[in-house]
Amino acid sequence: MKKHALLFCILLTPFVLLAQDDKAARPSPPAQASATVNGKTITIDYGQPSVKGRKIWGELVPYGQVWRAGANETTAFTLSADAMVEGKKLSAGKYAFFIIPTENEATVIFNKTIKWGAFSYKQDEDVLRISVPVKKSKAFAEKLTYMVSPKGEVSLAWENSVIVFAVK
């Protein structure tokens, strides 16, 4: 009987692992924001966490530390063609997207190495950094939400804050 139970566990393991890999079933499911701006497609792929009653800025996401700007895998920022981000050139490609938040300002980082989370982040692999203000949002955002407007305004809204930058 013990042999049958062991065999059953061995046979069941791959199915349990596959079920855990269903990204849509995660507490922070995958999400995407995308728009075409002046013929360039901007796409942001991210994990979408919820506030769930927590204090986000300065606590869950500590001030002054690199954050992967989403949940689960590193947030990916993809440009189909060269663009100007807040007046600075960013070549076409796929970038790891990080943020270093403070109470009033955020450093937005485009990094050339996409890995899981921010654990393997290396500053010397940054392609571009910009600083933008952190503003109080007009409405509470329970879920982390990225938006890309047709005019090239990229925004990250979560809890009571919004971070906005321009891509042309």
Side-chain angles (χ1 to χ4, degrees):
M1 186 67 171
K2 288 182 182 179
K3 288 181 183 177
H4 292 297
L6 179 61
L7 180 61
F8 178 75
C9 289
I10 291 170
L11 292 174
L12 187 62
T13 299
F15 296 105
V16 171
L17 293 175
L18 283 173
Q20 290 176 350
D21 200 34
D22 179 8
K23 293 180 181 181
R26 292 177 174 175
S28 300
Q32 184 180 80
S34 186
T36 300
V37 178
N38 298 326
K40 305 170 185 67
T41 302
I42 301 165
T43 305
I44 304 166
D45 292 295
Y46 63 103
Q48 189 175 47
S50 296
V51 173
K52 296 180 183 175
R54 302 173 290 187
K55 170 87 173 103
I56 301 302
W57 302 106
E59 290 187 20
L60 182 67
V61 178
Y63 288 141
Q65 295 181 24
V66 173
W67 174 54
R68 64 185 165 203
N72 308 318
E73 292 81 13
T74 301
T75 298
F77 188 99
T78 306
L79 285 172
S80 67
D82 294 356
M84 300 298 285
V85 178
E86 288 293 315
K88 297 180 179 181
K89 184 181 178 188
L90 184 61
S91 297
K94 186 174 185 176
Y95 300 94
F97 184 77
F98 299 102
I99 293 175
I100 302 172
T102 66
E103 195 169 348
N104 299 311
E105 187 175 76
T107 300
V108 176
I109 303 166
F110 300 87
N111 186 279
K112 64 182 176 181
T113 305
I114 295 182
K115 296 183 180 175
W116 198 93
F119 306 107
S120 57
Y121 168 78
K122 294 179 184 167
Q123 185 173 345
D124 63 343
E125 294 177 346
D126 290 353
V127 175
L128 177 66
R129 281 181 169 225
I130 58 169
S131 291
V132 295
V134 174
K135 299 176 183 174
K136 182 166 177 51
S137 57
K138 293 178 182 173
F140 180 82
E142 173 65 28
K143 293 182 178 214
L144 170 70
T145 304
Y146 283 90
M147 291 172 277
V148 183
S149 79
K151 293 183 178 182
E153 185 175 87
V154 177
S155 62
L156 174 164
W158 200 21
E159 193 188 31
N160 294 309
S161 297
V162 64
I163 298 167
V164 180
F165 59 94
V167 178
K168 304 287 178 189

